[in-house]
Amino acid sequence: MQSDSARSDPKAAMRPQPEDVQNLSSGTTSLAHAFAMARHRLGEREACALFRDLLSISRTKIAANPDQLLDDGDVAKLTSSIVRRCRGEPLAYVTGRRGFRTIELAVGPSVLIPRWETEELVQMALEHIASSSRVLDLGTGSGCIALAIRKETGADVTASDVSAPGLEVCRCNAETLGLGIQLVQSCWYESIDGIFDVIVSNPPYVESDDPHFQCGDLLHEPRLALDGGPDGLAGLRHVVAGAPAHLSEGGRLLVEHGCDQQTQVQLLFTAAGFADIATHHDLGGLPRVTQGALP
Ligand code: GLN
């Protein structure tokens, strides 16, 4: 299967090398000069993201105060960040932040960087969630799905992950956002108790030998969160087969998957006894989210 995020980063190989980065000198670097340097290396969009997320300086502020000097700490932060980005580290890991629907999350190399396709999984799930619903997010990572659902519906949300460092990122995000959710360290359903009205999951679904593991953001992201085994379906099999035992009557499961996995995923839903099975196409027209309900 072709990795979805790697397809969107064709310019990665053309990025300037870190040794090109000119030293910005402490005490004498103006906002305009530093911004011009960042833009020259990374382009307008990423330069804006660095200033906004690292230094809390907006594009408008730079335009209004071009001669204002950056302090030494900010110059050092900016220079090392440009170098890290030039070396190929994902922008979200360099800034440590990524927006997802209406929330902003802290992210680092122990969690997958939230993707816009996953925002669509949340959109589909919202149709079936009320403030009284019990929701489980399996393999939560940064907590993007669980926290967005909690924020947008007020539902009772449980987020689980097998990775302790991943779950710690989710816990920090929940705390920063002031969103109360339950966290459980669990390999799929192993340590999950209770019954839920809706289960959602963005499990690992990239095939182990997908060449995109060797390039782009995927090189830096946790393999555990991406690698779905030889056919990419190992995680999806666990999530779908185990769901009926944890769903209420009429309960619903929604999963994200690769754009060429629709048929196999629908078969997994049928084999597990789901009815009302449907696959949603994303904004790019690709089949990316499958859902079903218990009869
Ligand atoms: N969409 C991601 C990618 O292709 C994969 C996410 C996942 O495996 N859950 O990079």
Side-chain angles (χ1 to χ4, degrees):
M1 189 193 89
Q2 187 181 49
S3 152
D4 299 298
S5 68
R7 281 184 322 205
S8 61
D9 198 13
K11 290 192 188 139
M14 292 158 58
R15 284 205 189 96
Q17 295 307 299
E19 50 273 22
D20 296 343
V21 178
Q22 174 189 320
N23 281 329
L24 296 171
S25 39
S26 325
T28 58
T29 304
S30 69
L31 279 182
H33 176 64
F35 185 77
M37 157 70 98
R39 183 175 52 197
H40 174 63
R41 302 298 166 194
L42 306 176
E44 176 89 15
R45 189 183 66 81
E46 294 202 1
C48 283
L50 281 193
F51 273 76
R52 184 190 62 233
D53 295 340
L54 283 177
L55 311 179
S56 302
I57 298 175
S58 69
R59 186 74 182 89
T60 318
K61 184 170 175 192
I62 299 166
N65 308 280
D67 298 328
Q68 186 180 312
L69 295 182
L70 271 179
D71 69 42
D72 292 357
D74 285 351
V75 169
K77 239 194 257 181
L78 193 62
T79 310
S80 72
S81 299
I82 294 171
V83 169
R84 285 172 62 193
R85 183 65 185 128
C86 287
R87 290 195 173 127
E89 253 187 83
L91 180 67
Y93 290 163
V94 174
T95 61
R97 312 220 55 84
R98 175 52 61 97
F100 184 83
R101 293 183 66 90
T102 62
I103 53 180
E104 196 174 61
L105 298 148
V107 293
S110 53
V111 296
L112 201 66
I113 300 164
R115 317 266 204 272
W116 63 267
E117 296 97 315
T118 308
E119 299 191 21
E120 297 199 40
L121 167 67
V122 172
Q123 188 63 41
M124 303 302 296
L126 290 182
E127 287 173 26
H128 307 285
I129 299 173
S131 59
S132 57
S133 304
R134 296 156 297 175
V135 180
L136 170 65
D137 173 19
L138 271 188
T140 196
S142 65
C144 57
I145 299 174
L147 294 167
I149 289 176
R150 172 70 186 171
K151 168 130 194 257
E152 294 182 50
T153 67
D156 179 356
V157 178
T158 299
S160 80
D161 206 291
V162 69
S163 153
L167 216 51
E168 180 55 19
V169 174
C170 178
R171 194 193 61 72
C172 289
N173 279 321
E175 200 176 288
T176 309
L177 293 162
L179 293 168
I181 60 171
Q182 286 83 46
L183 298 177
V184 183
Q185 188 176 4
S186 177
C187 178
W188 303 124
Y189 297 97
E190 254 171 48
S191 307
I192 302 291
D193 291 323
I195 295 293
F196 302 88
D197 303 305
V198 174
I199 299 177
V200 284
S201 184
N202 172 21
Y205 54 72
V206 181
E207 289 171 18
S208 301
D209 65 356
D210 191 310
H212 291 96
F213 275 122
Q214 313 311 322
C215 59
D217 286 2
L218 263 58
L219 248 183
H220 300 264
E221 292 182 290
R223 184 94 191 194
L224 189 66
L226 289 163
D227 190 337
D231 64 357
L233 296 168
L236 284 156
R237 280 192 193 94
H238 281 292
V239 172
V240 180
H246 293 275
L247 279 173
S248 56
E249 212 181 306
R252 195 165 280 268
L253 170 69
L254 299 98
V255 297
E256 181 178 317
H257 52 76
C259 57
D260 55 0
Q261 293 172 331
Q262 172 183 10
T263 308
Q264 295 108 304
V265 173
Q266 288 210 4
L267 285 172
L268 293 177
F269 271 67
T270 306
F274 282 95
D276 200 13
I277 301 166
T279 298
H280 168 75
H281 288 64
D282 67 17
L283 291 172
L286 300 172
R288 297 304 306 279
V289 174
T290 291
Q291 60 170 308
L294 284 189

